[in-house]
Amino acid sequence: MFAALRNTDRSWGAPAKLLHWVIAALIFNQFVLGWLAVTWRLSPTKIELYVWHKSFGILILTLVLVRIVWRLLNRAPALPPDTPRAERIAAGVSHALLYVLMIVIPLSGWVINSAGGIPFRVFRLFPLPSIAAADKGVEAIAKQVHFALFLVLALVLAVHIAAALRHHFIKRNDVLVRMLPGKGLRP
Ligand code: HEM
Ligand code: HEM
């Protein structure tokens, strides 16, 4: 039963797929919530948007850590044998970069929150510990870093999604299909 959940040489197991798509949805949601929170006029709604943005951000950080542990315990499916070396390297580098960004973006958000000295409860359930001393200068830098890293993520994701579509529609291999839900596990 446990073995059936693992990745095979040709496809991703259910936990890897679930984590990929849940985190992907949460990240797109973060872009919207972050943008709305920053641009909304000062009101209870703005505070509410921040509560959800920060809470989902901490949830993403937690899920990514689980995902990385699962990934280290599982081999990734192999790329099609005809994949050129440069493309293999590009895939490896961009995936590693996505993992790094999924860690450092929420961490920089956490620094904004800590340096701003704003008490905050994750999903209004438990207090988020402080990871930086209250300091307006650090808060301002962390905001710039958070925004710059978001731009990098958006750029890498555009390439990531284009590459997935290229595999499916141009190269016509199963790289996209094997990440989709419900396609089962082929040996
Ligand atoms: C993967 C997770 C995250 C993503 C993709 C993300 C993305 C964003 C985006 C797109 C913005 C709007 C930027 C702007 O227009 O200036 C933003 C703003 C913000 N985010 Fe996040 N965020 C994440 C996690 C977090 C976390 C965990 C926290 C805090 C615990 C946080 C705190 C903030 C704050 C305080 C702002 C407002 C910054 C400002 O006023 O310039 N974010 N975020
Ligand atoms: C419409 C959106 C997306 C599509 C179509 C897509 C597609 C895919 C596909 C097909 C793979 C498997 C590649 C392979 O088997 O070699 C993959 C892997 C991956 N995706 Fe996405 N993805 C999307 C969104 C995202 C988002 C938002 C993130 C996170 C920021 C993300 C992060 C990753 C990572 C890190 C891997 C590598 C998995 C590993 O090697 O452990 N993806 N994606």
Side-chain angles (χ1 to χ4, degrees):
M1 154 64 183
F2 184 69
L5 297 174
R6 299 181 71 94
N7 304 337
T8 67
D9 205 37
R10 296 213 36 209
S11 189
W12 296 93
K17 290 181 184 179
L18 189 68
L19 284 163
H20 176 273
W21 291 111
V22 168
I23 293 172
L26 285 171
I27 285 188
F28 290 128
N29 185 52
Q30 269 317 78
F31 291 173
V32 178
L33 282 177
W35 180 74
L36 284 176
V38 169
T39 51
W40 210 271
R41 70 183 168 83
L42 196 57
S43 63
T45 309
K46 187 180 180 84
I47 313 283
E48 196 68 17
L49 287 165
Y50 270 121
V51 169
W52 289 106
H53 178 79
K54 295 181 200 177
S55 299
F56 279 124
I58 296 298
L59 177 63
I60 292 174
L61 181 59
T62 315
L63 289 176
V64 169
L65 294 176
V66 172
R67 181 171 173 191
I68 290 174
V69 171
W70 183 250
R71 173 66 160 83
L72 293 174
L73 296 172
N74 274 269
R75 262 181 345 137
L79 282 168
D82 62 344
T83 311
R85 202 174 119 80
E87 272 183 38
R88 290 178 186 277
I89 295 171
V93 169
S94 59
H95 291 165
L97 194 57
L98 285 172
Y99 280 119
V100 170
L101 288 165
M102 286 190 282
I103 301 269
V104 292
I105 293 180
L107 280 182
S108 62
W110 193 344
V111 172
I112 306 177
N113 195 75
S114 305
I118 312 151
F120 167 65
R121 298 177 75 83
V122 182
F123 291 110
R124 297 214 168 87
L125 295 175
F126 58 89
L128 185 66
S130 185
I131 53 167
D135 181 324
K136 287 289 160 200
V138 173
E139 184 194 13
I141 294 170
K143 278 184 181 176
Q144 286 181 8
V145 170
H146 195 63
F147 184 62
L149 291 175
F150 148 67
L151 293 181
V152 177
L153 175 62
L155 196 77
V156 180
L157 272 181
V159 175
H160 180 69
I161 295 169
L165 296 177
R166 175 170 172 263
H167 276 293
H168 190 70
F169 292 107
I170 297 175
K171 301 187 91 183
R172 295 183 185 276
N173 58 35
D174 64 354
V175 169
L176 174 61
V177 173
R178 71 187 184 182
M179 184 49 104
L180 297 179
K183 292 291 167 187
L185 284 168
R186 280 166 301 166

